Every structure is written in structure tokens, then in C-alpha cells.
């Protein structure tokens, strides 16, 4: 059974982390942290998500704070660099925050930008990192995705196109028309049926995230039913949430791709000092926030109240199977 609301609120810390660069139109990342009997959990559903979707994220935080962790198979995880939709001349500055990374995920299809901007950004990354993948967050039509696949591979290969279009049928059509592998993210983490994208042969790679799926246990259950390679990624997590992503990746039987678990470097400051990447990998370990950082990064009282109200709305929607 989920914990009581009173118990959750007694253990709650709400923090606001400034971003180094705008990411998903976010300049300050707010999350609620739970100091639980089993460790720290994180509830960081993006603010626009309604309670039915945000409840999965709360379930993931409760799992971390109150549940027993699974046993990992490995102690270090290869990570990709993450390059937001910055101008091409800022790419070296961004990549410098990911020492040793040999794979980079580049954000494309940003509102207000052009395919030419995307190509310039990808080429700037390709000059510094050997393996490049792009993420459109569902921002293209089928025809735009097909054109982008051609333009973005003119200067070299892409590891995959992540969520080029919004719907599963569109992904399937893009996959039939391009030679670049197609990865699904939102079509898994935001779907009521996360396995549909695989059944309909709409993806070559599945990008899975702990919080949107409801926890490490749920992620591992979904991954076991997916017959394409899996990449574990973050949802702009703090060091607390990132530790759960690293744990999930460490528990998978196979890990053929670098994981998107290095986004902590996008924060000006975090709730805990993250271990530095070594040869493009991060260690698997539980994380406890530092009290001084929690105090310094505490959200204003009105925002804490907003998160308390949100938890009260989401808690009744958390399924016992998710916590």
C-alpha cells in the first residue's frame, strides 16, 4: 500500500534548480524529494502534467523512498552527452561538461528553429564526438522527419532518430521510409500501452525512463517484454532521480547503447555532488542530498504549497502495483 499523505509530507523537501541552458523550455527545474525509510525518492513530473500522468512519477519516488532496490548486474554505466537546442558555436561549451563521452544526443526540431539550425548543431557535435543521435520530441511531421533524416546524415551517420513524430503510426511510416534507426520515447513513457510501439513495428530502439513508467521495477518489467534494444534515459532528474536511472540500467541483462543519464551537468547546482564521469561512464550508487544544498535550493513557500497540493491529488491515483 502507498504511504499516507501525512507521512509523505513529513518527509518532503521541494527544491528549485537553476539550469545552465534552457532545456524543454525550462530555466528552473522544480522537484519534490522524499526522505524515506529506504532512501531518497524523487517526484519531478513536469508542471504541465495532469495528475493521472504525474501519479506514475510519484509512484517512482515512493518506490525509491519506501521499497527494496533490485540487485544490479554492473557498477558503471556508459552515458551520452546531451546537447540542448543551442547555437552551433555553443556546442563545444556544452560537450565540455561530459568528459569522455563518446556518444551525444542532440535536441532538434525546436520551435522557432530551422532544419538548417539542426544540421549546423549536429555537424558541430559530430566534429567532437564519434557517435551522434538526435531527439525531436515528436516535433516533426512524417515528411519533415524524412527530409531531416536525409539532411542530418549528409555529413555522417546517426545512431538513431528519437521520437521523430508524435504518434505510433507516424513512427512506423518514418521507419519504413528512412534507413536511420528510429527510437521511441514519448510513445512509450506517455502511453497507456507502452508496448504498442513495438507490436506495431514502429521502433528499432526503446528509450525508457524510470519516473514516467512508475519506478525501476516497472521499467524492468516493460524492458523484459520489449524485443528491441533498450536505452535508459533521464527525465531531467536531480542527482537523486538520476541514481534510480543508473540503478535501472545496471539491472538490465544487456546494455548495448550509452544511456541518457548525464543531464545533471545541465544544472547550475544539484542537491548532491555527483561523481564525475570517468571514460564516459557514471557509477551506480544511492544518493542522499546534502542538507546545506537542500536549504540553499529550497523552493519558495508558494511553490512548496503547489507541490503539496499536487501530491495530495496524485497519491490516490498511484497503483499498489507501482509502489
Amino acid at each position: 500500500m502507498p504511504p499516507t499523505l501525512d507521512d509523505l509530507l513529513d518527509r518532503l523537501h521541494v527544491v528549485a534548480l537553476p539550469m545552465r541552458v534552457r532545456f524543454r523550455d525550462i530555466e528552473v527545474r522544480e522537484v519534490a524529494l522524499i526522505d524515506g525509510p529506504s532512501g531518497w525518492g524523487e517526484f519531478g513530473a513536469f508542471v504541465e502534467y495532469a495528475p493521472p500522468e504525474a501519479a506514475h512519477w510519484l509512484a517512482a519516488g515512493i518506490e525509491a523512498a519506501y521499497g527494496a532496490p533490485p540487485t544490479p548486474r554492473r557498477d558503471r554505466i556508459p552515458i551520452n552527452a546531451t546537447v540542448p537546442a543551442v547555437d552551433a558555436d555553443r556546442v563545444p561549451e556544452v560537450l565540455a561538461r561530459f568528459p569522455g563521452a563518446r556518444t551525444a544526443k542532440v535536441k532538434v526540431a525546436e520551435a522557432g528553429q530551422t532544419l538548417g539550425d539542426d544540421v549546423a548543431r549536429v555537424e558541430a557535435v559530430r566534429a567532437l564526438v564519434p557517435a551522434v543521435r538526435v531527439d525531436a520530441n515528436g516535433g516533426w511531421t512524417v515528411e519533415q522527419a524524412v527530409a531531416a533524416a536525409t539532411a542530418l546524415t549528409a555529413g555522417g551517420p546517426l545512431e538513431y532518430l528519437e521520437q521523430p513524430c508524435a504518434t505510433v503510426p507516424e513512427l512506423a511510416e518514418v521507419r519504413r521510409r528512412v534507413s536511420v534507426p528510429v527510437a521511441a520515447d514519448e510513445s512509450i513513457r506517455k502511453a497507456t500501452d507502452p508496448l504498442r510501439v513495438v507490436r506495431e513495428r514502429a521502433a528499432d530502439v526503446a528509450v525508457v525512463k524510470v519516473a514516467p513508467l512508475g519506478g525501476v521495477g516497472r521499467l524492468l518489467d516493460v524492458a523484459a517484454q520489449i524485443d528491441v534494444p533498450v536505452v535508459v534515459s533521464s527525465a531531467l532528474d536531480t542527482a537523486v532521480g538520476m541514481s534510480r536511472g543508473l540503478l535501472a540500467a545496471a539491472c538490465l541483462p544487456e546494455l548495448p547503447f550509452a544511456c541518457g543519464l548525464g543531464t545533471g551537468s545541465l544544472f547550475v547546482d544539484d542537491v548532491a555532488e555527483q561523481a564525475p564521469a570517468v571514460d564516459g561512464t557514471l557509477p551506480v550508487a544511492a544518493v542522499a542530498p546534502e542538507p546545506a544544498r537542500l536549504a540553499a535550493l529550497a523552493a519558495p513557500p508558494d511553490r512548496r504549497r503547489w507541490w503539496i497540493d499536487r501530491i495530495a491529488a496524485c497519491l490516490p491515483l498511484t497503483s499498489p502495483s507501482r509502489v
Side-chain angles (χ1 to χ4, degrees):
M1 293 292 293
T4 66
L5 178 61
D6 286 344
D7 189 57
L8 274 178
L9 299 186
D10 283 345
R11 302 172 180 275
L12 191 68
H13 300 261
V14 179
V15 294
L17 279 59
M19 306 289 298
R20 294 183 187 276
V21 295
R22 181 188 294 268
F23 191 87
R24 288 185 88 262
D25 288 329
I26 295 171
E27 294 181 336
V28 177
R29 177 69 166 125
E30 289 185 352
V31 304
L33 301 175
I34 306 162
D35 183 5
S38 298
W40 285 80
E42 178 170 317
F43 172 43
F46 296 117
V47 295
E48 67 271 20
Y49 289 2
E53 183 173 359
H56 301 323
W57 298 60
L58 180 58
I62 292 172
E63 177 200 63
Y66 292 85
T71 302
R73 299 168 181 258
R74 54 188 68 83
D75 60 7
R76 297 197 72 87
I77 305 299
I79 61 165
N80 64 253
T82 299
V83 180
V86 297
D87 292 340
D89 60 5
R90 294 194 62 189
V91 164
E93 165 200 340
V94 173
L95 290 178
R97 304 188 193 114
F98 300 90
R102 300 185 58 77
T103 302
K105 179 169 82 169
V106 185
K107 292 291 184 177
V108 294
E110 183 85 353
Q113 296 188 358
T114 67
L115 179 56
D117 296 325
D118 294 339
V119 170
R121 187 180 313 113
V122 167
E123 288 305 316
V125 173
R126 190 174 275 132
L128 298 171
V129 178
V132 181
R133 57 183 72 151
V134 299
D135 182 7
N137 289 118
W140 288 322
T141 65
V142 170
E143 295 304 324
Q144 288 172 330
V146 172
T150 299
L152 294 169
T153 55
L158 289 177
E159 199 170 54
Y160 54 71
L161 294 171
E162 183 173 329
Q163 199 70 40
C165 303
T167 71
V168 171
E170 287 174 323
L171 292 185
E173 184 176 350
V174 171
R175 185 169 179 253
R176 287 192 297 269
R177 293 177 58 182
V178 304
S179 59
V180 182
V182 171
D185 175 7
E186 285 88 347
S187 291
I188 295 173
R189 66 178 170 89
K190 294 176 72 70
T192 55
D193 178 5
L195 301 177
R196 178 189 172 200
V197 69
V198 176
R199 283 199 309 273
E200 297 193 14
R201 301 182 181 278
D204 302 283
V205 177
V207 178
V208 291
K209 300 180 179 180
V210 168
L213 287 175
V216 172
R218 174 62 172 158
L219 182 150
L220 295 176
D221 287 344
V222 169
Q225 300 175 68
I226 290 177
D227 60 358
V228 298
V230 167
V231 176
V232 181
S233 192
S234 79
L236 203 56
D237 305 321
T238 74
V240 170
M242 197 69 69
S243 70
R244 300 296 289 182
L246 291 164
L247 175 62
C251 292
L252 290 169
E254 298 179 356
L255 205 60
F257 292 100
C259 291
L261 297 171
T263 54
S265 63
L266 298 175
F267 298 130
V268 174
D269 199 3
D270 205 337
V271 295
E273 188 72 34
Q274 286 195 345
V278 176
D279 295 329
T281 69
L282 286 175
V284 179
V287 169
E290 300 166 20
R293 290 173 182 254
L294 286 176
L297 295 167
D302 63 318
R303 295 306 301 164
R304 176 180 170 84
R305 181 71 252 173
W306 186 90
W307 281 91
I308 288 173
D309 292 343
R310 192 183 203 195
I311 289 171
C314 290
L315 185 61
L317 304 178
T318 57
S319 164
S321 65
R322 291 185 180 273
V323 297

